[in-house]
Coordinates of all heavy atoms in Angstrom, one line a residue:
M24 N -11.6 20.7 -0.8 CA -13.0 20.5 -0.6 C -13.3 19.7 0.7 O -12.5 18.8 1.0 CB -13.7 19.9 -1.8 CG -13.4 18.4 -2.1 SD -14.0 17.8 -3.6 CE -12.9 18.6 -4.8
T25 N -14.3 20.0 1.4 CA -14.6 19.3 2.6 C -16.1 18.8 2.6 O -16.9 19.5 2.1 CB -14.4 20.3 3.8 OG1 -13.0 20.7 3.8 CG2 -14.7 19.6 5.1
S26 N -16.3 17.7 3.2 CA -17.7 17.2 3.2 C -18.0 17.0 4.7 O -17.4 16.2 5.4 CB -17.7 15.9 2.5 OG -19.0 15.3 2.5
A27 N -19.0 17.8 5.2 CA -19.3 17.7 6.6 C -20.2 16.5 6.9 O -21.1 16.2 6.1 CB -20.1 18.9 7.1
I28 N -19.9 15.8 8.0 CA -20.7 14.6 8.4 C -21.0 14.8 9.9 O -20.1 15.1 10.7 CB -19.8 13.3 8.2 CG1 -19.4 13.2 6.8 CG2 -20.6 12.1 8.7 CD1 -20.5 12.9 5.8
E29 N -22.2 14.6 10.3 CA -22.6 14.6 11.7 C -22.1 15.8 12.4 O -21.3 15.7 13.4 CB -22.2 13.3 12.3 CG -22.9 12.1 11.7 CD -22.4 10.8 12.3 OE1 -21.7 10.8 13.4 OE2 -22.6 9.8 11.7
G30 N -22.4 17.0 12.0 CA -22.0 18.2 12.7 C -20.6 18.6 12.4 O -20.3 18.9 11.3
D31 N -19.7 18.5 13.4 CA -18.4 19.1 13.2 C -17.4 18.0 12.6 O -16.2 18.4 12.4 CB -17.8 19.6 14.5 CG -17.7 18.5 15.6 OD1 -18.2 17.4 15.4 OD2 -17.0 18.8 16.6
E32 N -17.8 16.8 12.4 CA -16.9 15.8 11.8 C -16.9 16.0 10.3 O -18.0 16.2 9.7 CB -17.4 14.4 12.2 CG -17.3 14.1 13.7 CD -17.8 12.7 14.0 OE1 -18.3 12.0 13.1 OE2 -17.6 12.3 15.1
E33 N -15.8 16.0 9.7 CA -15.7 16.2 8.3 C -14.6 15.4 7.7 O -13.5 15.2 8.3 CB -15.5 17.7 7.9 CG -14.4 18.4 8.6 CD -14.4 19.8 8.4 OE1 -15.5 20.5 8.3 OE2 -13.3 20.4 8.2
I34 N -14.9 14.9 6.5 CA -13.9 14.2 5.7 C -13.4 15.2 4.7 O -14.1 16.0 4.1 CB -14.6 13.0 4.9 CG1 -14.9 11.9 5.9 CG2 -13.6 12.5 3.9 CD1 -15.6 10.7 5.3
R35 N -12.1 15.3 4.6 CA -11.5 16.2 3.7 C -11.1 15.5 2.4 O -10.4 14.5 2.4 CB -10.2 16.8 4.3 CG -10.5 17.7 5.5 CD -9.3 18.6 5.9 NE -9.6 19.3 7.1 CZ -10.3 20.5 7.1 NH1 -10.7 21.0 6.0 NH2 -10.5 21.1 8.2
W36 N -11.6 16.1 1.3 CA -11.3 15.5 0.0 C -10.4 16.5 -0.8 O -10.7 17.7 -0.8 CB -12.6 15.3 -0.8 CG -13.4 14.2 -0.3 CD1 -14.4 14.2 0.7 CD2 -13.2 12.8 -0.7 NE1 -14.8 12.9 0.9 CE2 -14.1 12.0 0.1 CE3 -12.4 12.2 -1.6 CZ2 -14.2 10.7 0.0 CZ3 -12.5 10.8 -1.7 CH2 -13.4 10.1 -0.9
S37 N -9.3 15.9 -1.3 CA -8.3 16.7 -2.0 C -8.2 16.3 -3.4 O -8.2 15.1 -3.7 CB -6.9 16.6 -1.3 OG -7.0 17.0 0.0
Q38 N -8.2 17.3 -4.3 CA -8.0 16.9 -5.7 C -6.5 16.9 -5.9 O -5.8 17.9 -5.9 CB -8.6 18.0 -6.6 CG -8.5 17.7 -8.1 CD -9.3 18.6 -8.9 OE1 -9.9 19.5 -8.5 NE2 -9.3 18.3 -10.2
V39 N -6.0 15.7 -6.2 CA -4.5 15.5 -6.4 C -4.1 15.7 -7.8 O -3.0 16.2 -8.1 CB -4.2 14.0 -5.9 CG1 -2.7 13.8 -6.1 CG2 -4.6 13.8 -4.5
E40 N -4.9 15.3 -8.7 CA -4.7 15.5 -10.2 C -6.1 15.9 -10.8 O -7.1 15.9 -10.1 CB -4.2 14.3 -10.9 CG -2.8 13.9 -10.4 CD -2.2 12.7 -11.1 OE1 -2.9 12.3 -12.1 OE2 -1.2 12.1 -10.7
D41 N -6.1 16.2 -12.1 CA -7.3 16.7 -12.7 C -8.5 15.7 -12.5 O -9.6 16.1 -12.3 CB -7.1 16.9 -14.2 CG -6.4 18.1 -14.5 OD1 -6.3 19.0 -13.7 OD2 -5.8 18.2 -15.6
S42 N -8.2 14.4 -12.5 CA -9.3 13.4 -12.4 C -9.1 12.5 -11.2 O -9.6 11.4 -11.3 CB -9.3 12.6 -13.7 OG -8.1 11.9 -13.9
F43 N -8.4 12.9 -10.2 CA -8.1 12.0 -9.1 C -8.3 12.8 -7.7 O -7.7 13.8 -7.5 CB -6.7 11.5 -9.2 CG -6.3 10.4 -8.2 CD1 -6.8 9.1 -8.4 CD2 -5.5 10.7 -7.2 CE1 -6.5 8.1 -7.5 CE2 -5.2 9.7 -6.3 CZ -5.6 8.4 -6.5
F44 N -9.1 12.2 -6.9 CA -9.5 12.8 -5.6 C -9.2 11.8 -4.5 O -9.5 10.6 -4.6 CB -11.0 13.2 -5.6 CG -11.4 14.1 -6.7 CD1 -11.7 13.5 -8.0 CD2 -11.4 15.4 -6.6 CE1 -12.0 14.3 -9.0 CE2 -11.7 16.3 -7.7 CZ -12.0 15.7 -8.9
V45 N -8.7 12.3 -3.3 CA -8.4 11.4 -2.2 C -9.0 12.0 -0.9 O -9.0 13.2 -0.7 CB -6.9 11.4 -2.0 CG1 -6.5 10.5 -0.8 CG2 -6.2 10.8 -3.2
G46 N -9.6 11.1 -0.1 CA -10.3 11.5 1.1 C -9.6 11.1 2.4 O -9.0 10.0 2.4
N47 N -9.6 11.9 3.4 CA -9.1 11.5 4.7 C -9.9 12.1 5.8 O -10.5 13.1 5.7 CB -7.6 11.9 4.8 CG -7.4 13.3 5.2 OD1 -7.6 13.7 6.3 ND2 -7.0 14.1 4.2
F48 N -10.0 11.4 6.9 CA -10.7 11.8 8.1 C -9.7 11.7 9.3 O -9.3 10.6 9.7 CB -11.9 10.9 8.3 CG -12.7 11.3 9.6 CD1 -13.4 12.4 9.6 CD2 -12.6 10.5 10.7 CE1 -14.1 12.8 10.8 CE2 -13.3 10.8 11.8 CZ -14.0 11.9 11.9
R49 N -9.3 12.9 9.8 CA -8.4 12.9 11.0 C -7.2 12.0 10.7 O -6.8 11.3 11.6 CB -9.2 12.5 12.2 CG -10.3 13.5 12.6 CD -11.0 13.1 13.8 NE -12.0 14.0 14.1 CZ -12.9 13.8 15.1 NH1 -12.9 12.8 15.8 NH2 -13.9 14.7 15.2
G50 N -6.6 12.1 9.5 CA -5.4 11.4 9.2 C -5.6 9.9 8.8 O -4.7 9.2 8.5
N51 N -6.9 9.5 8.7 CA -7.2 8.1 8.3 C -7.6 8.2 6.8 O -8.5 9.0 6.4 CB -8.3 7.5 9.1 CG -8.0 7.4 10.6 OD1 -7.1 6.6 10.9 ND2 -8.6 8.1 11.4
F52 N -7.1 7.3 6.0 CA -7.4 7.2 4.6 C -8.8 6.7 4.4 O -9.2 5.7 5.0 CB -6.4 6.3 3.9 CG -6.6 6.1 2.4 CD1 -6.5 7.2 1.6 CD2 -6.9 4.8 1.9 CE1 -6.7 7.0 0.2 CE2 -7.1 4.6 0.6 CZ -7.0 5.7 -0.3
V53 N -9.6 7.4 3.7 CA -11.0 7.1 3.4 C -11.2 6.3 2.1 O -11.9 5.4 2.0 CB -11.9 8.4 3.4 CG1 -13.3 8.1 2.9 CG2 -11.9 9.0 4.8
G54 N -10.5 6.7 1.1 CA -10.6 6.1 -0.2 C -10.2 7.1 -1.3 O -9.7 8.2 -1.0
Y55 N -10.5 6.8 -2.5 CA -10.2 7.7 -3.6 C -11.2 7.6 -4.7 O -12.0 6.6 -4.8 CB -8.8 7.6 -4.1 CG -8.4 6.2 -4.8 CD1 -8.5 6.1 -6.2 CD2 -8.0 5.2 -4.0 CE1 -8.2 4.9 -6.8 CE2 -7.6 4.0 -4.6 CZ -7.7 3.8 -6.0 OH -7.4 2.6 -6.6
I56 N -11.2 8.6 -5.6 CA -12.2 8.7 -6.6 C -11.5 9.0 -7.9 O -10.6 9.9 -7.9 CB -13.3 9.8 -6.4 CG1 -14.0 9.4 -5.1 CG2 -14.2 9.9 -7.5 CD1 -14.8 10.6 -4.5
D57 N -11.8 8.3 -9.0 CA -11.1 8.5 -10.3 C -12.2 8.9 -11.3 O -13.3 8.3 -11.3 CB -10.6 7.2 -10.7 CG -9.2 7.3 -11.3 OD1 -8.7 8.4 -11.5 OD2 -8.6 6.2 -11.5
R58 N -12.0 10.0 -12.0 CA -13.0 10.4 -13.0 C -12.6 9.6 -14.3 O -11.5 9.6 -14.7 CB -12.9 11.9 -13.3 CG -13.9 12.4 -14.3 CD -13.9 13.8 -14.5 NE -12.8 14.5 -14.0 CZ -12.8 15.8 -13.5 NH1 -13.9 16.5 -13.6 NH2 -11.7 16.3 -13.0
N59 N -13.6 9.0 -14.9 CA -13.5 8.2 -16.1 C -13.6 9.1 -17.3 O -14.1 10.2 -17.3 CB -14.5 7.1 -16.2 CG -14.5 6.3 -14.9 OD1 -13.4 5.8 -14.5 ND2 -15.6 6.0 -14.3
S60 N -13.2 8.6 -18.5 CA -13.2 9.4 -19.7 C -14.6 9.8 -20.1 O -14.8 10.8 -20.8 CB -12.5 8.6 -20.9 OG -13.1 7.4 -21.1
D61 N -15.6 9.0 -19.7 CA -17.0 9.3 -20.1 C -17.7 10.3 -19.1 O -18.8 10.6 -19.2 CB -17.9 8.0 -20.1 CG -18.0 7.3 -18.8 OD1 -17.5 7.8 -17.8 OD2 -18.7 6.3 -18.8
G62 N -16.9 10.8 -18.1 CA -17.4 11.8 -17.1 C -17.9 11.2 -15.9 O -18.3 11.9 -14.9
S63 N -18.1 9.9 -15.8 CA -18.5 9.2 -14.5 C -17.3 9.1 -13.6 O -16.2 9.4 -13.9 CB -19.1 7.8 -14.8 OG -18.1 7.0 -15.3
F64 N -17.6 8.7 -12.4 CA -16.6 8.6 -11.3 C -16.6 7.2 -10.7 O -17.7 6.7 -10.4 CB -16.9 9.6 -10.2 CG -16.8 11.1 -10.7 CD1 -17.8 11.7 -11.3 CD2 -15.6 11.8 -10.5 CE1 -17.8 13.0 -11.7 CE2 -15.5 13.1 -11.0 CZ -16.6 13.7 -11.6
T65 N -15.4 6.6 -10.6 CA -15.3 5.3 -10.0 C -14.8 5.5 -8.6 O -13.8 6.2 -8.4 CB -14.4 4.4 -10.8 OG1 -14.9 4.2 -12.1 CG2 -14.3 3.0 -10.1
C66 N -15.4 4.9 -7.6 CA -15.1 5.0 -6.2 C -14.3 3.8 -5.8 O -14.6 2.7 -6.1 CB -16.3 5.0 -5.3 SG -17.5 6.3 -5.7
Y67 N -13.3 4.0 -4.9 CA -12.4 3.0 -4.4 C -12.4 3.2 -2.8 O -12.2 4.3 -2.4 CB -11.0 3.0 -4.9 CG -11.0 2.8 -6.4 CD1 -11.1 3.8 -7.3 CD2 -10.7 1.5 -6.9 CE1 -11.1 3.5 -8.7 CE2 -10.7 1.2 -8.3 CZ -10.9 2.3 -9.1 OH -10.9 2.0 -10.5
D68 N -12.6 2.1 -2.1 CA -12.7 2.2 -0.6 C -11.3 2.3 0.0 O -10.3 2.4 -0.8 CB -13.4 1.1 0.0 CG -12.8 -0.3 -0.2 OD1 -11.6 -0.4 -0.6 OD2 -13.4 -1.3 0.1
R69 N -11.2 2.3 1.3 CA -9.9 2.6 2.0 C -8.9 1.4 1.7 O -7.7 1.6 2.0 CB -10.2 2.7 3.5 CG -10.8 1.5 4.1 CD -11.2 1.8 5.5 NE -11.9 0.6 6.1 CZ -11.2 -0.4 6.6 NH1 -9.9 -0.4 6.7 NH2 -11.9 -1.5 7.1
M70 N -9.4 0.3 1.2 CA -8.5 -0.8 0.9 C -8.2 -0.8 -0.6 O -7.7 -1.8 -1.2 CB -9.1 -2.1 1.3 CG -9.4 -2.2 2.8 SD -7.9 -2.0 3.8 CE -7.1 -3.6 3.5
S71 N -8.6 0.2 -1.4 CA -8.4 0.4 -2.8 C -9.2 -0.6 -3.6 O -8.8 -1.0 -4.7 CB -6.9 0.3 -3.2 OG -6.2 1.4 -2.6
R72 N -10.3 -1.1 -3.0 CA -11.2 -2.0 -3.8 C -12.3 -1.1 -4.5 O -12.8 -0.2 -3.9 CB -11.9 -2.9 -2.8 CG -11.0 -3.9 -2.1 CD -11.7 -4.7 -1.1 NE -12.2 -3.9 0.0 CZ -12.2 -4.2 1.3 NH1 -11.8 -5.4 1.7 NH2 -12.7 -3.3 2.2
P73 N -12.6 -1.5 -5.7 CA -13.7 -0.7 -6.4 C -15.0 -0.8 -5.6 O -15.4 -1.8 -5.1 CB -13.8 -1.4 -7.7 CG -12.6 -2.3 -7.9 CD -12.1 -2.6 -6.5
H74 N -15.7 0.4 -5.5 CA -16.9 0.4 -4.8 C -18.0 1.1 -5.6 O -18.8 1.9 -5.2 CB -16.7 1.2 -3.5 CG -17.9 1.1 -2.6 ND1 -18.3 0.0 -2.0 CD2 -18.8 2.1 -2.2 CE1 -19.4 0.3 -1.3 NE2 -19.7 1.5 -1.4
G75 N -18.0 0.8 -6.9 CA -19.1 1.3 -7.8 C -18.8 2.6 -8.5 O -17.7 3.2 -8.3
E76 N -19.7 3.0 -9.3 CA -19.6 4.2 -10.1 C -20.7 5.2 -9.8 O -21.8 4.8 -9.3 CB -19.6 3.9 -11.6 CG -18.4 3.2 -12.1 CD -18.3 3.2 -13.6 OE1 -19.0 3.9 -14.3 OE2 -17.4 2.4 -14.1
S77 N -20.4 6.5 -9.9 CA -21.4 7.6 -9.7 C -21.4 8.5 -10.9 O -20.4 8.7 -11.6 CB -21.0 8.3 -8.4 OG -21.0 7.5 -7.3
G78 N -22.5 9.2 -11.0 CA -22.6 10.1 -12.1 C -22.1 11.5 -11.9 O -21.8 12.3 -12.8
S79 N -21.8 11.8 -10.6 CA -21.2 13.1 -10.2 C -20.2 12.9 -9.1 O -20.2 11.9 -8.4 CB -22.3 14.0 -9.8 OG -22.8 13.7 -8.5
L80 N -19.4 13.9 -9.0 CA -18.4 13.9 -7.9 C -19.1 13.9 -6.5 O -18.7 13.2 -5.6 CB -17.4 15.0 -8.0 CG -16.3 15.1 -7.0 CD1 -15.4 13.9 -7.0 CD2 -15.4 16.4 -7.3
D81 N -20.1 14.7 -6.4 CA -20.8 14.8 -5.1 C -21.4 13.4 -4.7 O -21.3 13.0 -3.5 CB -21.9 15.8 -5.1 CG -21.4 17.2 -5.1 OD1 -20.3 17.4 -4.7 OD2 -22.2 18.1 -5.6
E82 N -22.0 12.7 -5.7 CA -22.5 11.3 -5.4 C -21.4 10.4 -5.0 O -21.5 9.6 -4.0 CB -23.2 10.8 -6.6 CG -24.5 11.4 -6.9 CD -25.1 10.9 -8.2 OE1 -24.6 9.9 -8.8 OE2 -26.1 11.4 -8.7
A83 N -20.2 10.5 -5.6 CA -19.1 9.6 -5.3 C -18.6 9.9 -3.9 O -18.3 9.0 -3.1 CB -18.0 9.8 -6.4
I84 N -18.5 11.2 -3.6 CA -18.0 11.6 -2.2 C -19.0 11.0 -1.2 O -18.6 10.5 -0.2 CB -17.8 13.1 -2.2 CG1 -16.6 13.5 -3.0 CG2 -17.7 13.6 -0.7 CD1 -16.4 15.0 -3.1
S85 N -20.3 11.3 -1.4 CA -21.3 10.8 -0.4 C -21.2 9.3 -0.2 O -21.3 8.8 0.9 CB -22.7 11.2 -0.9 OG -22.9 12.5 -0.7
S86 N -21.0 8.6 -1.3 CA -21.0 7.1 -1.3 C -19.8 6.6 -0.4 O -19.9 5.8 0.5 CB -20.8 6.5 -2.7 OG -20.6 5.2 -2.6
L87 N -18.6 7.2 -0.6 CA -17.5 6.8 0.2 C -17.5 7.3 1.6 O -17.1 6.6 2.5 CB -16.2 7.3 -0.5 CG -15.8 6.5 -1.7 CD1 -14.5 7.0 -2.4 CD2 -15.6 5.0 -1.4
N88 N -18.1 8.5 1.8 CA -18.3 9.0 3.2 C -19.2 8.0 4.0 O -18.9 7.6 5.1 CB -19.0 10.4 3.2 CG -18.1 11.5 2.8 OD1 -16.9 11.3 2.6 ND2 -18.6 12.7 2.6
D89 N -20.3 7.7 3.4 CA -21.2 6.7 4.0 C -20.6 5.4 4.3 O -20.7 4.8 5.4 CB -22.5 6.5 3.2 CG -23.4 7.8 3.0 OD1 -23.2 8.7 3.8 OD2 -24.2 7.8 2.1
L90 N -19.8 4.9 3.3 CA -19.2 3.6 3.5 C -18.1 3.7 4.7 O -18.1 2.8 5.5 CB -18.5 3.2 2.2 CG -17.6 1.9 2.3 CD1 -18.5 0.7 2.6 CD2 -16.8 1.7 1.0
Y91 N -17.4 4.7 4.7 CA -16.3 4.9 5.7 C -17.0 4.9 7.1 O -16.5 4.2 8.0 CB -15.5 6.2 5.5 CG -14.4 6.3 6.5 CD1 -13.2 5.6 6.4 CD2 -14.5 7.2 7.5 CE1 -12.2 5.7 7.2 CE2 -13.5 7.3 8.4 CZ -12.3 6.6 8.3 OH -11.3 6.7 9.2
F92 N -18.0 5.7 7.3 CA -18.6 5.8 8.7 C -19.4 4.6 9.0 O -19.6 4.3 10.2 CB -19.4 7.1 8.8 CG -18.5 8.3 9.0 CD1 -18.4 9.3 8.1 CD2 -17.6 8.4 10.1 CE1 -17.6 10.4 8.2 CE2 -16.8 9.5 10.2 CZ -16.7 10.5 9.3
S93 N -19.9 3.9 8.0 CA -20.6 2.7 8.2 C -19.7 1.6 8.8 O -19.9 0.9 9.7 CB -21.3 2.2 6.9 OG -21.8 0.9 7.1
D94 N -18.5 1.5 8.1 CA -17.5 0.6 8.6 C -17.0 0.9 10.0 O -16.8 0.1 10.8 CB -16.2 0.6 7.7 CG -16.5 -0.1 6.3 OD1 -17.5 -0.7 6.2 OD2 -15.6 0.1 5.5
A95 N -16.9 2.2 10.3 CA -16.5 2.7 11.6 C -17.5 2.3 12.7 O -17.2 1.8 13.8 CB -16.2 4.2 11.6
S96 N -18.8 2.5 12.4 CA -19.8 2.2 13.4 C -20.0 0.7 13.6 O -20.5 0.3 14.7 CB -21.2 2.8 12.9 OG -21.7 2.2 11.8
E97 N -19.6 -0.1 12.6 CA -19.7 -1.6 12.8 C -18.4 -2.1 13.5 O -18.3 -3.3 13.6 CB -19.9 -2.2 11.4 CG -21.2 -1.9 10.8 CD -21.4 -2.4 9.4 OE1 -20.5 -3.1 8.9 OE2 -22.4 -2.1 8.8
G98 N -17.5 -1.2 13.9 CA -16.3 -1.7 14.5 C -15.2 -2.1 13.6 O -14.2 -2.7 14.0
G99 N -15.4 -1.9 12.3 CA -14.4 -2.3 11.3 C -13.2 -1.4 11.2 O -12.2 -1.7 10.6
L100 N -13.3 -0.2 11.9 CA -12.2 0.8 11.8 C -11.9 1.3 13.2 O -12.8 1.4 14.0 CB -12.7 2.0 10.9 CG -13.0 1.8 9.5 CD1 -13.5 3.1 8.9 CD2 -11.7 1.4 8.8
N101 N -10.7 1.8 13.4 CA -10.3 2.5 14.5 C -10.2 4.0 14.1 O -9.2 4.4 13.7 CB -9.0 2.0 15.1 CG -8.6 2.7 16.3 OD1 -9.4 3.4 16.9 ND2 -7.3 2.6 16.7
V102 N -11.4 4.7 14.2 CA -11.4 6.1 13.8 C -11.1 7.0 15.0 O -11.8 7.0 16.0 CB -12.8 6.4 13.2 CG1 -12.9 7.9 12.8 CG2 -13.1 5.5 12.1
A103 N -10.0 7.7 14.9 CA -9.5 8.6 15.9 C -10.7 9.6 16.3 O -11.3 10.2 15.5 CB -8.3 9.3 15.5
G104 N -10.9 9.7 17.6 CA -11.8 10.6 18.1 C -13.3 10.2 18.1 O -14.2 11.0 18.4
R105 N -13.6 9.0 17.7 CA -15.0 8.5 17.7 C -15.2 7.4 18.7 O -14.4 6.6 18.9 CB -15.3 8.0 16.3 CG -15.5 9.1 15.3 CD -16.1 8.6 14.1 NE -17.5 8.3 14.4 CZ -18.5 8.4 13.5 NH1 -18.2 8.9 12.4 NH2 -19.7 8.1 13.8

């Protein structure tokens, strides 16, 4: 699965296991998402710190996409090609 951001830039989300998803942008680790037993999703940032829960996978992906590019725009990341 791919999530497009700002035109041609996209974060690629891969389902590694039934309830585990990992994101990367141009080889940079974005974070991961774990599906909980109640159907909610817990988001973890690029440093594996919990970053809240979401009711759907799409919400979780959006949350981590926004966080990743927010960190990049504030100079907190060295994002290749940006």
Side-chain angles (χ1 to χ4, degrees):
M24 72 189 68
T25 300
S26 180
I28 302 293
E29 298 175 14
D31 63 347
E32 296 179 351
E33 53 188 38
I34 291 178
R35 296 197 182 274
W36 287 92
S37 302
Q38 185 172 1
V39 180
E40 294 182 12
D41 286 340
S42 62
F43 190 74
F44 304 84
V45 177
N47 80 75
F48 177 73
R49 297 182 181 171
N51 296 294
F52 179 63
V53 171
Y55 65 94
I56 300 166
D57 226 351
R58 183 177 12 211
N59 303 313
S60 60
D61 67 358
S63 66
F64 296 84
T65 302
C66 304
Y67 296 86
D68 68 12
R69 63 188 176 83
M70 301 299 289
S71 300
R72 296 176 295 219
H74 188 68
E76 289 192 14
S77 298
S79 73
L80 180 58
D81 287 339
E82 288 175 7
I84 287 172
S85 283
S86 173
L87 287 178
N88 288 353
D89 292 346
L90 177 65
Y91 183 77
F92 285 116
S93 172
D94 286 350
S96 69
E97 292 174 8
L100 297 174
N101 181 13
V102 178
R105 283 194 72 144

